[in-house]
Every structure is written in C-alpha cells, then in structure tokens.
Amino acid sequence: MRQRRNSGVRLDYYYRLVTKTIISFQDPVSGLISSHKDNHAWVRDNVYSIMCVWSLALAYRKNADLDEDIAKAYELEQTVVKHMRSLLCCMMRQAQKIEKFKYSRGPSDALHAKYHSTTLATVAGDFEWGHLQIDATSLYVLMLAQMTASGLQIVFTLDEVSLVQNLVFYIESAYCTPDYGIWERGDKTNHGMPELNASSIGMAKAALEAINELDLFGSGGGTESVIHVNADDMMQCNAILQSMLPRESNSKECDAGLLAVISFPAFAVDDETLVQTTKDEIINKLNGNYGCKRFLRDGFRTVKEDRHRLHYEPWELKVFENIECEWPVFWTLMILDGCFSGNTEQVEKYTELLDQLLVKDENGMRLLPEYYYVPADKVDAEYHRPHSQKRQPGGRLPMLWGQSLYILGQLLRDGFLAPGEIDPLNRRFCTETKPDLVVQVAVLAEDDYMKECLAQYDIQTQTVEEVQPIQIHPARVLSKIYSHLGRSKKLALSGRPENDIGILGTSQLYVVRQKTLAFSPKFLDKQSFYLALDMSLVSDFLKNELAFLRANWRNLGRPTMVLPITRHSLDRGNEVNPAIVSTIRKLQSGYINGVRVVTGKLEKYLTTSCISRLSFIEERMDTGDNSFLRYMDDILGNMTCPRPRLLNPQRPKLSKINRRTSVAGVISRSRSVHMDSMELIITDFSVPGSPPSPGPLSPPLLSPPVMKPISGIQDRSGFLHSPNMSSANRVKSILKQDYGHVSPNELIGQLKYASSLSDQADILHYLYVTEGPEFDTEISGYPGCSVNILLVELYEKASHMKQWYVVRHTAGMLRKKVEDLSQAITDLLVRQKQVSVGMPPEPRERTITRPLMSEELAKVIYEACGDDNGIAVLTQEIIEYLAMLIRTEPRLFNEMLRLRIGLIIQVMICELARAMKCEMSVAADELLSMSPFQMKTLLCNILSGNEFKVSSEEDPASGLGGSSLSVIQPKVKGSMMKLSVGISSQLMEGMTTSANALINEEDDQLTNRTGQWLRRRRLDGSLNRVPVDFYPKLWAVLEKCEGLSIEGHLLAQNLTREMTRGELKFALVVESVLNRIPEPEFRQLLVEALLVLSLAVENHYKYNLGGFINVEQLVFEANQIFLKDQAENEGDATLCCATHHYTRNSECKCNGAAGVCLHFYDCAPSGRYGTMTYLARAVSATLLPDAQALECSI
C-alpha cells in the first residue's frame, strides 16, 4: 500500500479543520452557511467562509497522492458550486429589486444582505435592516469570476447569465451610491444614515474589472455567456477610490476593512504608494495587541455599549475611545497580504501573533475568536494607558469569516498553493508599471467640401463615406445599443440604463454581424447644449480626453479615437477654425499634451485596435424584437446622424433694418448678479477728498475693486433683497415700472426690424417675462408663432454666429440643461466637494449634498437663480468646467470642501472688472459674452491663483465687426501666491514665536504690490480655501476650550466627543459655520485667527484656553493694534482709519468689510507687520496674558 507524503498528511489536517469549522455549518439542502441560532446567512460572511473550501480543493488537485485525494477535491469543488449557486438563487428571487435599484439607487430597493440558510427566504424587511451593502454583492461577483476562471462552472443557464449581467449594473454606480458598508451601519452612530464608503467602491471596482469579458460557461461557452462592463464606470470607481483613500467615509477617517480592498481579495488600488499609505494608516491608528480595531470609537460589543438599542448618541462615541474591540480577522488579511507581496517577515510576524490568540476546542481544533474586548473591571486602566490591559475573547467561536481566511493563509504559507492559483485573473499585479500608451486618432471630414477645406491647410483626411464598411456614429447611439445588454423577459429585467458612454467606451471598435462600428467621443455631440459649438473648447476637451486615455486605458489593444470634422468647425468666412487646425497639426506631430498619438486612415487601425463583439445585439436580432430591428436598421443604414438645420424655413425670418428698440438693455437690467451684488468701481484706498500720501509708504497704485451698494434693502453682505417679493415678481415689477409704456404690439413691430441679435434678445426677454413663453406674437401675420418658437430660432442663429451673450440668455429662457449635468455634479460630490448654487445668503443659496437626476438639478439651479436665465445657464457651465478640472487637475481643489458657484461667478466678475478697469455691470456683461473656452480659462486661472490679463480683439466669428475677450496668462515671475499656501508653508517651517525669520525676497516683492493680499483673501474666501491640516488643528483648539464663537454661531467642545480629529464630518460642520460669514476677506482673517490659536495649543503656551472664545473679537483686536502701529509710524492706513486722533472706537472710514481697515486686509500674512503677527499679539493680549515671550519675540 502506498504511503502518504507528509504534505498529504498535512492536507488531511486542513481537511478535518475545514470540515469541522466551516462545512459543518453548511445546510445540507440549501448549501448556505450559518453559525447563528436563527439560521441567518449573510452574503458577505458566506463568500468569505467558502474561500477556504475552494482553496483546499485547489490544493488537493495540485498535491493529490491517492485517488482519495482526487475524490476529496471533487467533493470540495461541488460544495463550493452548491454554495455559490444557492447565493445566486437567493438573488434571482429578488430580480425585481435589482431592476428597481438600477434606477432608484434607494436603500429600500437593495438586495437583501442576509437570507434564511434553510429556506433561502428573506429574514428581515426592507426597512428593518441596512440591506444596501454594495461591497457584499461586489465580493460575490468578484469571487464568482475568480472561481469560474479557476475551472469551476457555477452558472448553468443564460437566464443566470442575464442576472449576473444585471448584478454588474447593480454595482457599477457604487462610486455615487451611499450604502451601509461592510459593518452594516452607515454612519458610525448607526442611525441608519448611509454614506459613501471606500471599501464598497473598491470592492465594486475589483468585481467589475474581474468579471469584464469573462465567459461564465468557461471553456464550453460562447458569445452569449460573456459579461460586458462599461470601462468608464470602472474608471469612475477607481478615481473616487483614490480620492478617498486612506479615509473610509465621512464618519470614519480610517477603517481596517480597507485591507481587503488594497490587498486580497480585491487588489483594487493600482497606486503602490497609496496602498502603502493606507496600510500604514491602518497599522498606526487601528492596530493593537489582539488584532485591529474596525475603526476609531467603535462601540460594538464593548462593555460600555447599551445593548438595548442599536444606535449611539453622538456625545457617547468619546466613551468608546481606547476600549474598542480588537478583531484578529484583520491579522489574517495581513498574512495574506504578505503571502501575495512576498513579504515573509510580515507573514511570520502575524502568524506568531495569531497563534497566541487561537482557542482550542474539545477536539483540539484551533479556532479564531470573533473579537477581544476589555473587561469591565479593566476599562479605567485601559483609558489611562491604552493597550496595557489583558483582553478576553468574545463573540462567535469560531468566526467563520476569519477562520476561513486563516486557513487560506496557512495553505499559502505552507506552500500548498501559489498566489496565482487563488488569483487566476492576476489581480495581484495591478500595481505593476504599465507600458507607455499610444493613442490612435482618425481625423475624418464630414463630406467632400470639408475635405477640401482641410486640404487647404495641408491636412489630408478621409470622408465618412470613404471609410466604409466601417460606420461612424455619435456616442449616444452606443448608449442606446448598450441599453439592450442584459435584458431578460423571464426575469423582467430591462437591461442597462441609458447612461452616457464615456471616452473609454467610444475609443473601442465594435463588431455587429460582420459590420464594424466606430463612435465619436461624447464631447463632439452637438445635439442639445452649446458647449460643443466652441471649437477652442472642443480642442481643449480633446487634449483632456487624450490625457485621460493615457492614464486609464486598461484594455487589450490600442485606443482608437474618431474625430469627425463637421461644418460646425467653420468660421463665418468658411475657413476652418484655427483651434481645430492647430490641434490636428499637433496630433500629426505625434505628441500632444504629454500623450503619444499616431494619425492615419481608420482601416489601418483594425489590426491594432481594441475590438469588442456586441454579441447581445445579434441575439436580439435572432429573437425577432421588431422595435429593436427597426432601430438597428436605422442606425446601421445611415453613416451619420443628420445635422440639424439652422433655421426653420417655415418660420418668418427677422429683418435687418437698423432701428433702436424700446427695451434696449432690458436683459442687463434684470440680471441678479448685477442687482444683488454691488456696483463695482476702481478706486484707491484713500478716503474721498483726502490728500495723497506724503511718504514712500503709500505707492500711488490702484487697489482691487471696492464694492459700493447701488440702492435698496441691503444686508451686511451687500446683497439687495426684497423681503416680500420673489425674484421672478421683482424682475417683472422692475420691467413694468421702467417699460410699462411700451405695448406688446409695438415691441412685436420693432422685432420685425431689429438689426442685431442682442436687440431681438431684449425684446423677446421682455415679452417672455411680462407676457409668458406661450404668448402668440402673430409676427408678420403668422398665428401660432409663440415667444418660445422665436427663442428657439434666436438660439440657433446666435449659436451659429457665436454670440455667446445671446446664446446663454436664450438657452436659459428655453430651460436648457447640460446633457451630463448629473454626472458633473456627481464627479464633484463623490470627491467630497459639496456644491451650492445661487447667490448667498441662504435660503436663496441652495446646497447640493447628494447626486440628483439632471432634471431635478436643473430645477434647483433655475429656482436658485430666480429669473436670471443667463446666470442659471452660466451656473451649469461652471459646474461642467469644475467637474472637468477636478478630474484632470484635482490639486486645484485641495483644502476646499464646498464650491459656492454664486460666489465663484461673483469673483470672476470682480477679477474681470479688475483686469479691465471697468464697473461691475460692464464686467458682468463681458463675462457672459466670453466664449466657453475663455470662460474655462478664466475659471482655471482664478482657481490656480495665477495672474492674468484680458485683451479685446476683433471677433471674426460673429461676422458683425464685434469684439471678443481673451484671457492671457503673462509669463512673469512672481504670480499670485495662494494665501492658504502661504500660511501653511509658515506652519511647516515651524512658525512658533518668530515671524521675522519667515520673510524672504519673494515676500518683499509681493508685499510691495498694493491690493494684492486683499484680492488674494477675497479669492480664497470666495473659494472656501483653507490651509493644510486646518481642520485637525482646529479640533485640537476645541479640546482646550469650551467652544469657539464665530459670527454668533457656536462650535462647541462636545464636537470633539462626537467626532475624531481627521473625520470629514467635523470639517463639514466647521465649514458650515464659516460659510455664514458673508464677506470672503473677513472669513479668511477669521481662518488666520483660528490658525494662530492652533499655534498656541501646539506650543503649549497654555494648557487650557478657558471658556468660549469670540474669534471675530480677536480679529477686531488685531485690527486695533495694527491701526495703532500705523498711527504711530505714519503708515498707509493714516489716509483712512489710522488718523492722528485715532482711538480704539474710531469708525472705519475706508468701508472695509466688517469694519476692518482695508490696509489690514492687504497685509501679507508673514513679516513684522503681517496679519499673523498682529493676530498673535491679539491672542497673546486676550487669552495668554502670561505668555510675554510670545509677544516680545514677534
């Protein structure tokens, strides 16, 4: 008889261990695993539990000595198949929930998180449990893919394939779907509030990548059993995951569950530095002597937890600090991480630590406890000295999840398995360096005329017809095709929602029944909004998309981008737009925006491109779906979608006789940003009538714009409002008052002879506001010609002539919206940036804190902007640009939590007025007249803090001899430095008591530029930008006092009991208080004051700062000290506030915000006469009277 090897004996030990600790809990009928008395089987726990059974089967297959070993391998494999199919059956029973959730994303429509282990029935109502756990469903999809790739066949029928395809749709929007997370609690107070969790997003991203293009029938399958995943959704998950790590969610600054995301089983992060940063964060903050805490202040199963309720009170969380339960399961993940990374030292370290924690049962089996807790009699000692007390095991024994991962780790450690055998899809190589990418670009002419136009610039192209049999279609056609993916009549599943397909999807070629399809990028779609009509912006879009492709392309083959050049790219002189010509020439050079490209004929790319077969389309053709057949015949029979006609010939055309209208300028008259802000003039710092400065301390330079109110009821912020009148009624009342003598018939008569589009826009705007959009003008005797119909014609003409002022305003009156407005808002929100629209203050300013549908978003924006249609459309435009910038240049948004679009628009107007040296009303009109590309350029310069100039030049595109503005960034040294960056650099250099040491030549140069720091503070205040680590420092200040009073709003000390130092929720609370300050420059001085308070805490000048601190009083005190110094030294402020007869109660004469002198706002943060110095003296005099050294050294 053949003897067994030692390896076989060892495998038999693991077989007994798996049988006794895992399989013994499996139901013999259903196949689900449960160790609970109530037979509840959690999806997540089941998937983790079956992993060791699967890995042991692989080990037996690999190391079989006897036929008995092969039999055991088969038995274990069938156990896994039965178990995974049981979970699949549970989900199939809830197919209708999957269908609803694809559109609602609501917790009540989520798949259930647990089922009855015997009957497979649900065990808790939709509202009785936090069922929305995307990580659990994603983990199932991920392991289904890995097990299928290892040789197991789990899916048997095409109906099951359709269900798995819809599970992909279920998890593909994880990046914008708040859920209850891995611990089923959502917010850590467990009040049933879902939140965006990095662990869920990471697991979803891993599942999508693993299942993509996988044949669920294995080697015996065909095209019908292949799963398709939209590459753009995977990249969205990746971008959001990287922006969140190492943080888990708003309420959890760190979570040990992220170990499963950065390592086995997900391997979801491809940035090795970020992987190490996250791991270090977990070890430093959560690692203990018995495992890792789940997250900070986790009260679950501690002796201080009230077992009679599930939720915690916010103040209660502090009680759990330092006594959180420690979970050994996370050390099993550290062992697995070491096995996959080849870190033997890490494997041995955590194996030895785990060996001390394992508990033996009566049969000698080594079992892993669920957690270790601090006994009640040792809690006080643990509070005093963390990690000093002996803990006791608690919870289930064994914890099936942890026991399974422990066995899996030991199989790898003992060499029975190689990492590649339990990772057949090679996800572990995600951090490997990718080869440099080459993007293939095919430039096509719309027709022969465009081909000839491009040939004049020595650009040789093919026409769309010449590339046959390859067919070219817009991206929206691809969205329509993909909406048929995953449809199943039996399961009542409708397929993929018609969401947009991004650049990763349109950069592939597709095959349908021997026909090759190519799709133009989404940004070239001119169907609805006007952004694609600006060729300079289209060129900018192209450069950004190429860079995005280079960074995110993961498919086999090269990406192929098709660029149809249509007649929209022609200027009024029938010449190709210079921006398009320049971009094509850069493409032909082989290098653009840091991306390698190659241009040529489209048919030459067929052998090197990424080609996908749309087999699901062919299936639907075979089933005889008539509506779909008609649709496919339509799109396959036409090369391109027809270009909309510019003007409807059935409408009466407007004449071109020059006459002045009776309501000229009515649009500007009703603009909210003009009315509600303040008239802007350029002035200097001196009081009117005062003599010029006698000394060298006051250079005769212009200051930034100073705002002066027009008239009307005004609050402290300077915004005009009427307490008893809505925005729409107010505008209508003003127009009736100013133009009430003009009858509609008279205006209609003038409309026939209006010579310019702006005059036509003024007339139609007046009729729109006073008579309504459906008012029948009966122009030229044509009945049924409503104001709305004329607006459509005007919009088309203005779009063609590139008159952006008219385009924006008519687009607003037509209630147009950006096609992917919802996606743009989502891109900002999921990167933890709240967005507010409308002009402050609240309630007029509306804050958006969760993703909304485009229609709902447009409604919110138009309501917030009132009757100012131009600003409503501009708001959407700004949101689109912000979303684009945060995807391509996320550094511009560092230390910004809320993007206030209304204030950003105001800042753009102010900066434009400063650059043009004009009034604010003129700057507002000029802003709306800028092309979309120049608008984006201006916004980018403001966000980056760069200096810029504005030039006016003839606009050949308009054809009317008008002019357009261009934003130019001068190439000069010493661009505007961000105030927040300046402050943070001081802190990093260890600024404690000596500010003089921080002065350098650059500071001297910047300080000599009058108005610079006032402007910088206004910009940073409007952008809500704060210094690095501002919120954790403020948290430390709150620990040392009873609270901080800011403008009458209190930040109480109990916030430190409710939230941890690095918690995003704390930052949002602070931000909400700071946002109540209407003056942006005053807001920034308060931020500086809070920073000085943090310095006092960091340097231990005083252990306790006392009671409530009035922060604005510190600023006022610093201002008084500054004015006193100015009066004594005859400085600049003597021209206004610091007179020779100055007293502490003297009135601010320069109209500085909140009564603070403009010259104080214009001081640099550092230096002997910097704001930080004066604020430090104010803090020293007010709160630290004993700290004489601080004031003396400064």
Side-chain angles (χ1 to χ4, degrees):
M1 182 177 177
R2 187 174 57 175
Q3 294 183 345
R4 290 182 61 74
R5 295 179 300 178
N6 289 335
S7 60
V9 175
R10 185 66 176 168
L11 272 180
D12 288 342
Y13 163 74
Y14 285 123
Y15 178 81
R16 291 192 301 272
L17 185 61
V18 168
T19 302
K20 294 291 185 181
T21 61
I22 302 295
I23 298 180
S24 62
F25 293 102
Q26 186 177 29
D27 187 90
V29 177
S30 71
L32 292 186
I33 298 173
S34 175
S35 61
H36 292 258
K37 295 180 181 179
D38 51 12
N39 293 323
H40 288 190
W42 273 259
V43 174
R44 182 187 302 101
D45 294 36
N46 267 254
V47 176
Y48 275 121
S49 298
I50 207 66
M51 282 184 186
C52 69
V53 183
W54 170 54
S55 61
L56 186 59
L58 293 174
Y60 267 111
R61 285 282 181 200
K62 179 181 180 182
N63 301 279
D65 280 342
L66 309 173
D67 291 344
E68 180 184 351
D69 295 339
I70 299 177
K72 286 180 180 178
Y74 181 79
E75 173 203 350
L76 293 170
E77 287 173 352
Q78 296 310 304
T79 300
V80 174
V81 171
K82 181 176 183 178
H83 174 270
M84 295 294 285
R85 286 191 56 77
S86 295
L87 288 175
L88 185 64
C89 183
C90 291
M91 297 177 190
M92 288 191 76
R93 292 184 175 191
Q94 294 199 310
Q96 283 307 301
K97 281 191 166 293
I98 299 176
E99 177 64 21
K100 292 179 181 178
F101 185 81
K102 288 188 300 185
Y103 301 96
S104 71
R105 303 294 173 188
S108 61
D109 294 327
L111 287 171
H112 280 213
K114 57 181 180 177
Y115 303 91
H116 197 280
S117 61
T118 301
T119 66
L120 304 185
T122 58
V123 295
D126 292 344
F127 299 96
E128 296 173 2
W129 199 261
H131 291 297
L132 180 49
Q133 301 170 29
I134 293 178
D135 72 294
T137 307
S138 301
L139 179 65
Y140 174 81
V141 174
L142 171 62
M143 295 315 300
L144 174 66
Q146 292 279 26
M147 291 174 180
T148 301
S150 72
L152 297 182
Q153 185 173 347
I154 298 169
V155 176
F156 292 167
T157 68
L158 289 178
D159 291 323
E160 293 173 356
V161 172
S162 295
L163 182 87
V164 175
Q165 182 66 69
N166 279 269
L167 287 178
V168 168
F169 303 150
Y170 182 91
I171 66 175
E172 69 181 2
S173 63
Y175 65 91
C176 61
T177 306
D179 71 341
Y180 294 102
I182 189 172
W183 310 122
E184 305 183 309
R185 296 194 162 202
D187 185 277
K188 67 182 176 184
T189 57
N190 203 23
H191 279 267
M193 296 179 292
E195 56 184 359
L196 209 61
N197 292 284
S199 56
S200 295
I201 298 172
M203 198 63 72
K205 185 238 182 187
L208 293 172
E209 291 178 340
I211 202 77
N212 187 31
E213 300 299 325
L214 182 74
D215 192 333
L216 293 181
F217 289 173
S219 59
T223 56
E224 298 88 350
S225 53
V226 174
I227 299 298
H228 302 272
V229 181
N230 180 19
D232 295 280
D233 290 322
M234 290 188 284
M235 286 305 104
Q236 279 281 20
C237 289
N238 181 63
I240 305 313
L241 176 64
Q242 294 197 8
S243 71
M244 293 183 68
L245 291 178
R247 188 169 44 81
E248 161 71 356
S249 66
N250 283 6
S251 66
K252 306 180 191 74
E253 61 177 281
C254 188
D255 194 307
L258 290 172
L259 287 172
V261 171
I262 63 175
S263 186
F264 181 84
F267 299 104
V269 184
D270 50 18
D271 184 344
E272 192 167 2
T273 302
L274 188 57
V275 169
Q276 190 60 48
T277 300
T278 305
K279 186 192 298 185
D280 292 343
E281 188 85 354
I282 293 171
I283 292 174
N284 294 335
K285 292 185 177 180
L286 303 177
N287 201 23
N289 297 327
Y290 298 85
C292 293
K293 306 169 186 176
R294 300 193 304 181
F295 50 87
L296 296 177
R297 297 185 178 179
D298 174 24
F300 183 69
R301 293 296 182 258
T302 63
V303 295
K304 292 290 186 178
E305 182 187 40
D306 187 346
R307 303 294 176 88
H308 297 95
R309 53 184 168 88
L310 290 175
H311 70 277
Y312 306 128
E313 299 300 334
W315 57 266
E316 188 180 11
L317 296 177
K318 179 73 172 178
V319 176
F320 306 133
E321 192 168 73
N322 295 327
I323 63 166
E324 303 96 330
C325 293
E326 294 179 357
W327 300 63
V329 63
F330 298 114
W331 283 355
T332 67
L333 290 172
M334 294 297 291
I335 292 174
L336 289 168
D337 176 66
C339 291
F340 278 95
S341 63
N343 190 338
T344 306
E345 182 181 349
Q346 178 177 311
V347 173
E348 296 304 322
K349 171 186 175 182
Y350 286 101
T351 299
E352 292 177 6
L353 291 173
L354 270 180
D355 286 342
Q356 302 173 21
L357 303 180
L358 297 176
V359 177
K360 290 187 178 181
D361 65 359
E362 61 275 8
N363 299 318
M365 295 292 177
R366 295 156 65 85
L367 308 180
L368 188 73
E370 184 174 10
Y371 56 81
Y372 278 82
Y373 69 96
V374 180
D377 60 335
K378 297 180 179 179
V379 167
D380 291 337
E382 185 72 6
Y383 278 146
H384 183 65
R385 290 184 59 197
H387 307 299
S388 64
Q389 303 302 304
K390 187 175 181 179
R391 296 178 177 234
Q392 297 180 0
R396 296 188 300 276
L397 188 68
M399 178 194 185
L400 299 185
W401 172 1
Q403 186 75 20
S404 174
L405 293 179
Y406 169 72
I407 296 172
L408 176 56
Q410 294 310 302
L411 288 172
L412 287 169
R413 176 174 174 266
D414 291 346
F416 291 112
L417 287 174
E421 292 173 290
I422 59 172
D423 179 30
L425 295 174
N426 295 323
R427 295 206 47 77
R428 63 193 182 281
F429 297 128
C430 65
T431 57
E432 296 293 327
T433 304
K434 308 297 187 298
D436 197 13
L437 184 73
V438 177
V439 181
Q440 302 172 156
V441 180
V443 181
L444 304 178
E446 181 185 29
D447 50 31
D448 289 331
Y449 178 76
M450 286 304 303
K451 182 178 180 179
E452 294 175 2
C453 290
L454 291 170
Q456 296 176 6
Y457 299 92
D458 198 24
I459 298 174
Q460 304 303 319
T461 62
Q462 293 176 291
T463 64
V464 172
E465 292 183 354
E466 290 173 348
V467 298
Q468 291 184 20
I470 302 175
Q471 300 183 10
I472 312 300
H473 300 283
R476 63 180 180 275
V477 174
L478 185 58
S479 301
K480 181 69 175 180
I481 292 175
Y482 264 104
S483 68
H484 295 268
L485 176 63
R487 287 191 177 182
S488 173
K489 290 183 178 179
K490 290 183 180 179
L491 297 175
L493 296 172
S494 64
R496 183 181 185 271
E498 284 194 45
N499 300 327
D500 289 335
I501 302 292
I503 190 65
L504 295 174
T506 58
S507 296
Q508 304 178 40
L509 300 182
Y510 297 87
V511 175
V512 179
R513 284 194 169 182
Q514 309 306 317
K515 294 184 178 181
T516 302
L517 307 182
F519 297 90
S520 59
K522 183 180 63 174
F523 65 84
L524 292 178
D525 195 343
K526 306 172 180 65
Q527 190 178 39
S528 179
F529 212 63
Y530 58 82
L531 295 184
L533 299 174
D534 183 5
M535 293 299 105
S536 295
L537 186 64
V538 168
S539 299
D540 191 60
F541 280 159
L542 173 61
K543 296 173 184 177
N544 290 332
E545 297 291 58
L546 286 171
F548 181 82
L549 276 175
R550 180 179 181 272
N552 297 287
W553 184 258
R554 298 291 182 271
N555 296 339
L556 296 176
R558 290 177 175 178
T560 301
M561 183 181 291
V562 178
L563 297 178
I565 307 300
T566 68
R567 299 199 183 193
H568 285 286
S569 61
L570 297 178
D571 289 336
R572 292 289 293 172
N574 285 334
E575 295 181 354
V576 182
N577 188 282
I580 295 296
V581 175
S582 173
T583 301
I584 294 176
R585 284 176 173 167
K586 287 181 180 178
L587 290 172
Q588 292 176 334
S589 71
Y591 201 77
I592 181 173
N593 200 28
V595 183
R596 290 177 59 198
V597 297
V598 58
T599 58
K601 294 184 178 181
L602 186 56
E603 58 266 23
K604 293 184 178 180
Y605 298 150
L606 293 178
T607 57
T608 56
S609 297
C610 174
I611 301 179
S612 296
R613 185 179 181 87
L614 301 178
S615 55
F616 60 91
I617 296 293
E618 299 173 0
E619 297 166 28
R620 297 199 63 78
M621 288 179 175
D622 294 336
T623 58
D625 188 331
N626 292 329
S627 62
F628 184 70
L629 283 174
R630 287 194 302 269
Y631 178 76
M632 286 304 298
D633 288 340
D634 181 51
I635 66 170
L636 295 183
N638 295 286
M639 296 302 99
T640 58
C641 293
R643 185 167 51 89
R645 288 174 294 179
L646 181 64
L647 290 173
N648 189 334
Q650 297 180 353
R651 294 184 199 149
K653 292 186 171 63
L654 304 176
S655 178
K656 296 185 178 180
I657 299 177
N658 277 322
R659 290 188 183 179
R660 175 103 177 146
T661 67
S662 302
V663 290
V666 68
I667 295 179
S668 298
R669 185 81 175 105
S670 58
R671 176 150 302 119
S672 64
V673 72
H674 175 194
M675 291 170 53
D676 291 346
S677 300
M678 289 157 276
E679 193 67 29
L680 192 88
I681 60 173
I682 302 296
T683 183
D684 56 29
F685 279 106
S686 61
V687 179
S690 63
S693 172
L697 292 177
S698 300
L701 298 177
L702 291 177
S703 79
V706 177
M707 297 181 177
K708 295 184 179 181
I710 306 171
S711 60
I713 304 174
Q714 184 180 345
D715 57 20
R716 178 185 141 184
S717 66
F719 298 112
L720 300 172
H721 59 89
S722 175
N724 300 316
M725 189 178 297
S726 68
S727 174
N729 291 334
R730 181 181 59 191
V731 173
K732 186 174 181 178
S733 175
I734 291 174
L735 297 186
K736 285 286 189 182
Q737 179 181 348
D738 293 348
Y739 306 102
H741 61 281
V742 182
S743 67
N745 289 333
E746 180 182 350
L747 288 176
I748 294 171
Q750 294 177 7
L751 184 59
K752 300 176 186 178
Y753 306 106
S755 60
S756 68
L757 297 186
S758 58
D759 289 342
Q760 297 170 13
D762 281 331
I763 295 173
L764 290 178
H765 172 80
Y766 181 85
L767 294 174
Y768 179 91
V769 173
T770 58
E771 306 297 332
E774 299 304 325
F775 174 70
D776 190 352
T777 63
E778 297 185 7
I779 190 169
S780 298
Y782 289 85
C785 193
S786 66
V787 172
N788 240 8
I789 292 175
L790 293 175
L791 282 174
V792 171
E793 179 179 352
L794 180 61
Y795 174 77
E796 292 174 349
K797 291 177 65 177
S799 299
H800 179 66
M801 301 176 73
K802 307 297 189 291
Q803 296 219 4
W804 302 112
Y805 180 93
V806 179
V807 168
R808 289 187 174 96
H809 195 74
T810 52
M813 288 191 285
L814 292 171
R815 289 297 192 266
K816 285 186 173 291
K817 64 180 184 296
V818 178
E819 291 91 339
D820 53 353
L821 179 62
S822 177
Q823 184 62 53
I825 283 287
T826 300
D827 286 341
L828 295 170
L829 292 177
V830 295
R831 289 171 173 82
Q832 295 78 59
K833 310 296 180 187
Q834 292 186 345
V835 180
S836 63
V837 295
M839 296 297 174
E842 296 179 350
R844 183 172 54 180
E845 185 180 35
R846 305 278 295 276
T847 301
I848 302 169
T849 58
R850 62 183 180 86
L852 301 172
M853 299 300 291
S854 292
E855 293 75 12
E856 192 175 355
L857 281 169
K859 181 180 178 182
V860 170
I861 291 172
Y862 278 105
E863 288 178 351
C865 296
D867 251 23
D868 194 337
N869 300 299
I871 295 300
V873 171
L874 182 58
T875 296
Q876 298 182 60
E877 199 176 325
I878 296 297
I879 291 173
E880 180 76 7
Y881 300 150
L882 290 173
M884 184 193 311
L885 290 170
I886 205 171
R887 289 192 296 263
T888 57
E889 299 184 66
R891 59 179 180 78
L892 295 179
F893 299 84
N894 289 346
E895 312 306 324
M896 294 165 59
L897 289 181
R898 180 179 293 184
L899 302 171
R900 305 174 76 181
I901 308 301
L903 280 183
I904 289 176
I905 293 175
Q906 275 196 321
V907 168
M908 295 173 75
I909 294 174
C910 290
E911 287 295 284
L912 206 56
R914 179 191 65 84
M916 298 175 62
K917 296 181 173 61
C918 65
E919 295 184 350
M920 189 172 182
S921 58
V922 176
D925 289 340
E926 293 292 349
L927 180 71
L928 289 173
S929 300
M930 296 177 75
S931 70
F933 175 71
Q934 292 299 336
M935 186 77 69
K936 176 181 176 288
T937 304
L938 174 61
L939 176 63
C940 188
N941 276 287
I942 288 174
L943 289 175
S944 60
N946 293 327
E947 289 281 6
F948 66 90
K949 293 181 180 179
V950 175
S951 66
S952 179
E953 55 187 15
E954 292 297 319
D955 184 12
S958 68
L960 300 174
S963 62
S964 64
L965 295 179
S966 296
V967 177
I968 303 172
Q969 184 175 335
K971 297 180 180 180
V972 294
K973 185 178 179 180
S975 61
M976 178 63 67
M977 180 176 63
K978 293 183 182 66
L979 176 62
S980 53
V981 174
I983 296 175
S984 62
S985 64
Q986 296 169 12
L987 294 178
M988 288 188 289
E989 291 176 18
M991 190 188 83
T992 55
T993 60
S994 178
N996 288 331
L998 297 174
I999 303 175
N1000 52 41
E1001 290 183 6
E1002 184 177 2
D1003 285 336
D1004 291 338
Q1005 294 174 2
L1006 294 173
T1007 304
N1008 288 333
R1009 298 172 61 183
T1010 304
Q1012 169 194 259
W1013 286 106
L1014 171 58
R1015 174 192 170 222
R1016 187 67 258 169
R1017 287 187 171 93
R1018 281 178 176 166
L1019 288 177
D1020 279 345
S1022 299
L1023 297 173
N1024 287 16
R1025 186 175 273 131
V1026 297
V1028 177
D1029 292 333
F1030 171 74
Y1031 300 107
K1033 293 176 184 293
L1034 187 58
W1035 189 93
V1037 172
L1038 280 178
E1039 269 199 322
K1040 302 297 183 181
C1041 64
E1042 293 183 16
L1044 297 170
S1045 174
I1046 300 175
E1047 289 285 295
H1049 301 281
L1050 187 64
L1051 289 173
Q1053 188 186 50
N1054 62 1
L1055 288 176
T1056 61
R1057 300 180 60 84
E1058 299 173 11
M1059 306 167 196
T1060 57
R1061 181 189 299 264
E1063 199 169 311
L1064 184 61
K1065 278 176 61 179
F1066 174 75
L1068 291 173
V1069 171
V1070 175
E1071 187 73 12
S1072 66
V1073 172
L1074 291 176
N1075 284 341
R1076 297 178 182 273
I1077 303 168
E1079 305 93 346
E1081 60 266 42
F1082 187 58
R1083 178 192 191 274
Q1084 287 308 100
L1085 277 186
L1086 292 178
V1087 168
E1088 293 179 51
L1090 292 170
L1091 209 57
V1092 171
L1093 284 174
S1094 72
L1095 292 176
V1097 171
E1098 288 177 8
N1099 293 279
H1100 308 293
Y1101 286 118
K1102 195 172 184 180
Y1103 181 77
N1104 195 314
L1105 296 177
F1108 292 100
I1109 300 174
N1110 192 322
V1111 182
E1112 61 265 25
Q1113 287 300 322
L1114 294 178
V1115 175
F1116 296 148
E1117 178 66 23
N1119 181 56
Q1120 299 295 342
I1121 299 173
F1122 166 77
L1123 293 178
K1124 181 180 178 182
D1125 281 1
Q1126 287 284 301
E1128 292 176 355
N1129 296 287
E1130 296 186 357
D1132 293 357
T1134 55
L1135 299 175
C1136 51
C1137 303
T1139 61
H1140 294 290
H1141 304 290
Y1142 165 77
T1143 63
R1144 292 184 63 86
N1145 297 321
S1146 296
E1147 181 182 357
C1148 179
K1149 299 180 180 179
C1150 59
N1151 296 323
V1156 175
C1157 181
L1158 284 174
H1159 286 87
F1160 188 57
Y1161 284 120
D1162 199 39
C1163 290
S1166 62
R1168 181 179 180 184
Y1169 298 106
T1171 53
M1172 298 287 283
T1173 300
Y1174 287 108
L1175 288 167
R1177 292 171 64 182
V1179 170
S1180 177
T1182 306
L1183 302 177
L1184 310 171
D1186 299 330
Q1188 296 298 325
L1190 174 66
E1191 186 172 356
C1192 291
S1193 61
I1194 291 181

